[in-house]
Amino acid sequence: IDGPTVSLTLEGKFWHRRETILGFAAMWLNARIPEIIEVYVEDPEELKDFRDVHDKHSQELLYVEDKRAPDFNGDRETMEYQGIDPDLRGPFHVGTGGFRPGGSMINPA
């Protein structure tokens, strides 16, 4: 934390896009510390879901590393194939289910 700005480092693998994770983290931080005016990453490469791995000597592209978490049941791949943004899915989408406005206690999957 540097004054009203916060610098984050994204490490590990995430099911959602890394840009979405940064947005979720920024919203969470702003809810806890309203004085924050900016949340950012030091290195823009951290926001990319894939990383090119090159040979040290020839700089030839060896492979592309997927920095996303495994898609254990195929949901993400299926939604991307159907043109649905996987980051908008989830069991707790805003305004559905529970006691949220417009929600119902019964959510028929």
Side-chain angles (χ1 to χ4, degrees), residues 10-77:
L10 298 178
E11 294 180 3
K13 296 185 176 226
F14 305 102
W15 191 90
H16 291 284
R17 289 189 324 251
R18 297 172 86 76
E19 292 176 351
T20 303
I21 296 300
L22 177 65
F24 288 161
M27 286 189 299
W28 186 87
L29 285 168
N30 279 323
R32 277 24 176 213
I33 310 169
E35 294 82 12
I36 293 175
I37 60 170
E38 182 183 15
V39 177
Y40 65 95
V41 292
E42 290 284 336
D43 184 11
E45 288 292 317
E46 290 182 25
L47 293 178
K48 294 183 179 177
D49 290 325
F50 299 95
R51 181 176 72 94
D52 293 339
V53 178
H54 296 274
D55 182 51
K56 291 180 182 179
H57 304 291
S58 67
Q59 296 303 317
E60 178 183 351
L61 178 64
L62 298 175
Y63 60 93
V64 177
E65 177 188 4
D66 188 354
K67 298 192 306 186
R68 300 177 300 175
D71 188 13
F72 69 95
N73 63 358
D75 281 355
R76 182 177 54 222
E77 183 179 349

